[in-house]
Amino acid sequence: MKTLSLVLALLLFVPLAWGQEVDDGDPLLNRPADRTYDIIVDSGYLKVGVYENFPPYSFEVNGEPRGIDVEIGKRIARELGVEFKVHWIVPDENLGDDLRNNVWKGHYLAKRRLADVMMRVPYDKEYAYMQDSTGEYINEQVVLFGPYQQETWQVAFNPEQLGSVETVAVFQYHPVGVEIDTLPDFYLTSGLQGRMREQVRHYPNVKAAFEAMRAGEVSAVMGMRAEIDHELARPENGAFRLASNGFPGIGKQVWDVGMAIKHTHRQLGYALEEIIGNLVKGGELDAVFAKLDLQYSVPQYYREFLSEEAIARAEGELQSP
């Protein structure tokens, strides 16, 4: 009887709680959701959405936000003439959920907790214009824009266990570490007709996979290049090396990373896109990556119209005049 009463109480309470917006007393988090360009400038701050606990892109050190996306967000805010405010994103099941919860609608328990702009969104036209079975655009509530980085997949290996990694076929015979439920996981477990599957070892993140490589559990680790670079920069991983191989059959090995805003905030998007463009072409983003011991590649978006000299300058290979 007590159990039944508890269930009934929950059924009566939950719809009421879900129908109300959570107010934790913080006006920054519980601001009106529709922050246009003018409102943002007048407010004096820009709320930048970044993924939590996602080094080297965005993470905390002693309570302070750090990482690539944080540094870029700070530069965007500075150029806009406002203060940077971080909006930590807890990843949901897929990118569509993250965009809904953090850019255009809000989570059902905190609908006003929205970022003004979200970082680390794939700049992909096919995804941007994806349609459902009825022909409706799935992402019509958001605008994907402002590519600022080109990302790729990368392998690091232990030269004491592997002489080289000229082809992924070597992982038929040597254990390789991956973050669970990521594309490297699916690729290595299904590639070569599944012949590498038994050698794939799963870890909660790339850092844990490197710990396993130091312990001799795996001979190599596969992840995103910035994640691999971040770990190789650690003194304890100094003996490991980058592989130079490609990944046949992986689909997209290289992709652009950009930002997202609510579709009604295009004026903000135009302003941020101009700022990012100047940061890319001026080489400032290369400097951000270099400071964090990471490689920087100009997005394909800019490679289509910039000269080779301009691209080299943006990637720090030439000094600005």
Side-chain angles (χ1 to χ4, degrees):
M1 193 67 177
K2 182 181 291 186
T3 301
L4 178 60
S5 298
L6 179 60
V7 171
L8 289 173
L10 287 172
L11 289 173
L12 289 172
F13 171 76
V14 171
L16 177 61
W18 286 3
Q20 297 174 340
E21 292 181 352
V22 174
D23 186 348
D24 58 7
D26 188 337
L28 180 63
L29 296 179
N30 292 286
R31 55 171 171 71
D34 190 27
R35 275 172 51 87
T36 62
Y37 172 81
D38 290 335
I39 292 175
I40 288 171
V41 173
D42 289 342
S43 72
Y45 68 88
L46 178 73
K47 196 76 177 295
V48 180
V50 297
Y51 285 101
E52 69 170 12
N53 194 27
F54 191 28
Y57 308 106
S58 45
F59 55 101
E60 280 189 295
V61 176
N62 298 324
E64 292 294 322
R66 301 284 178 84
I68 296 170
D69 293 340
V70 171
E71 291 302 316
I72 295 175
K74 287 180 178 179
R75 280 162 173 74
I76 291 173
R78 184 179 65 197
E79 293 297 322
L80 204 59
V82 297
E83 183 182 356
F84 166 87
K85 296 290 185 181
V86 68
H87 169 98
W88 292 113
I89 296 173
V90 179
D92 210 313
E93 292 186 2
N94 55 56
L95 177 58
D97 292 339
D98 294 343
L99 290 168
R100 181 189 65 246
N101 293 340
N102 297 279
V103 176
W104 64 269
K105 186 177 183 180
H107 194 275
Y108 63 87
L109 288 179
K111 290 187 176 181
R112 291 188 177 185
R113 291 194 176 197
L114 292 172
D116 296 321
V117 58
M118 176 176 167
M119 308 293 288
R120 195 120 316 253
V121 179
Y123 182 75
D124 185 285
K125 291 183 179 179
E126 290 185 11
Y127 180 78
Y129 295 105
M130 189 182 299
Q131 296 173 292
D132 61 20
S133 59
T134 66
E136 295 292 327
Y137 288 107
I138 295 174
N139 298 303
E140 65 178 354
Q141 297 291 335
V142 297
V143 176
L144 309 184
F145 73 105
Y148 57 87
Q149 177 200 359
Q150 187 180 78
E151 187 60 276
T152 185
W153 300 111
Q154 180 67 58
V155 166
F157 67 96
N158 184 348
E160 293 184 358
Q161 298 187 23
L162 284 171
S164 64
V165 182
E166 297 179 0
T167 169
V168 292
V170 71
F171 299 130
Q172 296 176 90
Y173 317 106
H174 295 272
V176 55
V178 296
E179 181 177 346
I180 192 168
D181 292 337
T182 58
L183 193 145
D185 180 6
F186 301 137
Y187 174 68
L188 292 173
T189 54
S190 61
L192 297 182
Q193 299 179 333
R195 293 198 295 270
M196 299 180 288
R197 182 180 297 117
E198 297 303 317
Q199 297 293 345
V200 178
R201 306 290 184 266
H202 298 97
Y203 300 95
N205 49 52
V206 170
K207 180 181 179 180
F210 267 82
E211 291 172 354
M213 187 156 59
R214 292 199 300 273
E217 297 175 13
V218 297
S219 301
V221 175
M222 181 176 175
M224 287 184 283
R225 186 174 69 178
E227 292 180 298
I228 298 295
D229 286 347
H230 181 64
E231 289 301 321
L232 289 179
R234 297 178 182 274
E236 60 268 31
N237 295 326
F240 304 145
R241 298 290 180 264
L242 285 175
S244 58
N245 61 290
F247 306 98
I250 200 171
K252 278 200 171 183
Q253 180 171 327
V254 179
W255 65 98
D256 286 358
V257 176
M259 304 177 288
I261 56 170
K262 190 175 181 180
H263 76 103
T264 54
H265 296 167
R266 293 179 184 272
Q267 184 179 5
L268 173 64
Y270 297 146
L272 300 188
E273 191 167 44
E274 181 180 4
I275 291 171
I276 281 291
N278 291 335
L279 294 176
V280 170
K281 291 179 284 187
E284 189 165 348
L285 292 192
D286 173 72
V288 171
F289 278 69
K291 187 176 181 180
L292 298 173
D293 296 318
L294 306 172
Q295 303 175 69
Y296 177 70
S297 292
V298 170
Q300 182 61 36
Y301 171 83
Y302 291 99
R303 293 177 183 274
E304 295 179 0
F305 61 84
L306 289 181
S307 66
E308 292 185 5
E309 181 180 346
I311 293 172
R313 184 174 296 111
E315 293 183 339
E317 297 177 11
L318 291 176
Q319 295 295 321
S320 298

